[in-house]
Amino acid sequence: MREVAGVDGVPDGWVVVRVGPPTRGAAGGGTVTWAVLPDAVAVVAATSRCAAVGVDIPIGLPSGSARRACDEHAAARLGRARSSVFPAPPRPVLAAASFADACAVARELTGRAISLQTFHIGAKIQEWDRVERLPPGLVEVHPELSLRTLAPEIGFAPKRTARGAGQRIAALARWVDPAVALADLPTGARLDDLLDALACAWSAARWARGDAEVLGAETDERGRTMRIVV
């Protein structure tokens, strides 16, 4: 199998991790390469040779009042950690210039406002929504769901705590060697962003092998599939 990639948003763009196939006799992933790239177009170009790419951002947006089925399924699976799921808003909400305007548009279209966190990631969602043609191997991933599937027995602490970071590194060690994966990290990304990207790559590897779980299978008005791959 070729390389897979995981992608997570950072303040100045996107952190991308590419994980090679395991070396002969190894149980987990192989070589690990990191980069911080400025926009979605650059990410698509840099990962064009990958077998699959997992991105922590909504791909496919709802219309009308109903939330995406994949967001509902993910929230239900996450239980107490369901607050990490930001339901994807309709496209007109993303075009609003202010939080107040975005909430007004959301109330008109869906009957409820959006969260401030959702408003803050609106520009990131728009970046991917503006990419004309997404590669068929690029899929939406929710890293917290990936981690809980990889290590279901771990009661994860918040990801920005030392305990939470340690738990995530221990979980990901079941797939990649932390001494390899974390040996040469890029600037411009926090540790939790880097671990989220690795979790996205884990789900991308499952997608490439054909054994990933898929939450949701609706199609939006642009023809994009609204699903979360685990």
Side-chain angles (χ1 to χ4, degrees), residues 91-119:
R91 285 185 179 85
V93 175
L94 300 175
S98 69
F99 178 54
D101 289 345
C103 286
V105 175
R107 287 192 189 97
E108 181 180 349
L109 294 175
T110 70
R112 51 188 174 267
I114 63 169
S115 68
L116 185 59
Q117 293 93 330
T118 299
F119 176 72

Side-chain angles (χ1 to χ4, degrees), residues 16-172:
V16 179
V17 60
R18 300 198 319 270
V19 181
T23 56
R24 182 170 297 179
T31 59
V32 177
T33 306
W34 294 94
V36 174
L37 300 175
D39 52 45
V41 172
V43 173
V44 170
T47 59
S48 62
R49 296 180 180 272
C50 292
V53 182
V55 184
D56 181 17
I57 203 71
I59 302 293
L61 299 173
S63 56
S65 60
R67 289 180 172 174
R68 301 190 310 169
C70 59
D71 291 332
E72 297 289 340
H73 290 319
R77 281 271 294 269
L78 286 167
R80 290 184 297 175
R82 64 186 300 127
S83 61
S84 65
V85 178
F86 302 140
R91 285 185 179 85
V93 175
L94 300 175
S98 69
F99 178 54
D101 289 345
C103 286
V105 175
R107 287 192 189 97
E108 181 180 349
L109 294 175
T110 70
R112 51 188 174 267
I114 63 169
S115 68
L116 185 59
Q117 293 93 330
T118 299
F119 176 72
H120 283 156
I121 67 170
K124 296 285 192 185
I125 298 173
Q126 280 187 310
E127 267 192 54
W128 288 94
D129 197 48
R130 288 170 178 160
V131 176
E132 285 295 325
R133 293 184 180 179
L134 294 175
L138 189 143
V139 293
E140 177 182 343
V141 176
H142 192 292
E144 288 297 307
L145 191 54
S146 298
L147 287 160
R148 283 162 174 77
T149 304
L150 174 59
E153 79 286 0
I154 296 179
F156 286 96
K159 64 182 182 179
R160 294 185 185 176
T161 65
R163 182 166 182 257
Q167 290 172 322
R168 285 159 175 79
I169 292 169
L172 289 163

